[in-house]
């Protein structure tokens, strides 16, 4: 599986101008802790049959897509999200996971999250990638934000986080402010509380944290989440 990871890393090239403009519009800047790339097909075929079936022999079906890698707490690549979007902002989102994702915590931002928890700091949990980008602008630098990539959090990830929790940590859940987000947030709060965590559901106005930033900037983000 290491060869698959090495092969994928060959396809991660610096963001295109189109992607840089898009990311800047979503609030990504030099302080954003997660990485973005543009996919460029490697010169050799993928060693993973599952990858080939979903994306083509060299990833040709995601050629030019925006790529957001997903890493383990120790920095190993275990998957990615690929995004394609048109001029109107309509997007198509695909995911790939290596076999290592089965036994690792799978969410965006795990590297900083576990370090912050170990140091007694707080953790914020959001759905979307750009919700993470928004909250990182206003929370203390010692705290961390993770994105569960809309799908919610599995029990493996919950249990791994719980191992790092202490009396000093607080978990803040800021899922999307709709019926689905509220239900997922309440479920996640219940799971963590059953493991002894101190958990708060963020109450805010707006669709999600990134929309709060787009509508009201840093001032509104601070008012809603700090």
């Amino acid at each position: 599986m290491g060869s698959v990871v090495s092969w994928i890393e060959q396809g991660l090239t610096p963001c295109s101008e189109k992607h840089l403009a898009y990311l800047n519009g979503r609030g990504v800047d030099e302080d954003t802790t997660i990485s973005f790339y543009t996919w460029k097909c490697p010169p050799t075929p993928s060693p993973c049959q599952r990858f080939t079936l979903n994306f083509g022999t060299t990833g040709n079906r995601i050629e030019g897509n925006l790529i957001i890698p997903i890493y383990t707490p120790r920095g190993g690549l275990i998957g990615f999200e690929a995004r394609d979007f048109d001029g109107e902002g309509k997007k198509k989102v695909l995911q790939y996971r290596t076999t290592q994702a089965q036994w690792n915590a799978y969410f965006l931002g795990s590297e900083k999250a576990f370090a912050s928890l170990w140091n007694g700091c707080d953790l914020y949990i959001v759905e979307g990638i750009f919700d993470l980008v928004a909250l990182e602008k206003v929370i203390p630098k010692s705290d961390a934000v993770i994105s569960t990539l809309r799908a919610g959090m599995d029990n493996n990830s919950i249990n791994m986080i719980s191992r790092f929790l202490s009396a000093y940590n607080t978990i803040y859940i800021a899922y999307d402010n709709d019926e689905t987000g509220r239900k997922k947030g309440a479920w996640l709060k219940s799971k963590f509380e059953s493991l002894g965590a101190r958990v708060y559901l963020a109450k805010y106005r707006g669709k999600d944290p990134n929309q709060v930033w787009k509508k009201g900037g840093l001032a509104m983000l601070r008012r809603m989440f700090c």
Side-chain angles (χ1 to χ4, degrees):
M1 186 52 64
S3 62
V4 175
V5 169
S6 298
W7 182 86
I8 290 172
E9 289 174 339
Q10 293 179 52
L12 304 180
T13 62
C15 280
S16 65
E17 291 186 8
K18 172 186 174 182
H19 288 159
L20 287 174
Y22 171 75
L23 293 171
N24 289 338
R26 300 303 300 269
V28 175
D29 56 29
E30 64 276 4
D31 294 322
T32 300
T33 60
I34 59 176
S35 303
F36 299 88
Y37 300 90
T38 295
W39 182 262
K40 183 178 180 181
C41 295
T44 58
S46 167
C48 175
Q49 184 179 15
R50 183 163 47 85
F51 183 99
T52 297
L53 289 173
N54 285 288
F55 306 113
T57 304
T58 59
N60 46 289
R61 294 175 196 158
I62 56 170
E63 175 76 16
N65 277 201
L66 179 66
I67 304 294
I68 304 96
I70 312 297
Y71 296 102
T72 70
R74 295 185 178 182
L77 180 71
I78 55 171
F80 64 78
E81 182 168 291
R83 290 188 171 212
D84 192 21
F85 47 89
D86 59 25
E88 298 179 355
K90 295 180 180 179
K91 65 184 181 223
K92 179 180 180 182
V93 179
L94 300 170
Q95 278 198 23
Y96 171 79
R97 300 187 184 197
T98 71
T99 56
Q100 287 181 312
Q102 298 175 37
W103 57 83
N104 271 285
Y106 193 87
F107 46 76
L108 190 62
S110 67
E111 295 169 279
K112 184 177 180 183
F114 287 103
S116 293
L117 290 172
W118 180 258
N119 289 320
C121 302
D122 295 336
L123 180 67
Y124 293 74
I125 303 176
V126 299
E127 289 190 46
I129 292 168
F130 299 108
D131 299 329
L132 181 157
V133 170
L135 283 191
E136 280 191 332
K137 296 178 182 296
V138 294
I139 66 169
K141 296 297 183 184
S142 56
D143 294 344
V145 191
I146 60 173
S147 163
T148 58
L149 303 167
R150 298 169 308 282
M153 186 176 286
D154 59 27
N155 285 318
N156 184 46
S157 297
I158 292 170
N159 290 334
M160 289 189 72
I161 288 174
S162 70
R163 295 174 198 166
F164 283 75
L165 293 174
S166 71
Y168 300 102
N169 307 118
T170 301
I171 295 175
Y172 297 91
I173 301 171
Y175 271 178
D176 287 6
N177 205 11
D178 55 19
E179 184 178 358
T180 301
R182 286 190 289 270
K183 285 182 178 178
K184 289 196 296 185
W187 176 85
L188 192 57
K189 180 175 186 289
S190 176
K191 292 289 287 187
F192 275 119
E193 286 181 334
S194 71
L195 296 170
R198 182 171 56 240
V199 190
Y200 292 97
L201 289 175
K203 298 184 183 299
Y204 64 96
R205 296 179 181 177
K207 176 181 175 293
D208 53 49
N210 189 256
Q211 187 192 61
V212 171
W213 172 77
K214 286 192 289 187
K215 286 185 173 292
L218 296 180
M220 187 173 290
L221 271 177
R222 291 192 180 100
R223 191 167 77 237
M224 297 289 181
F225 298 102
C226 297

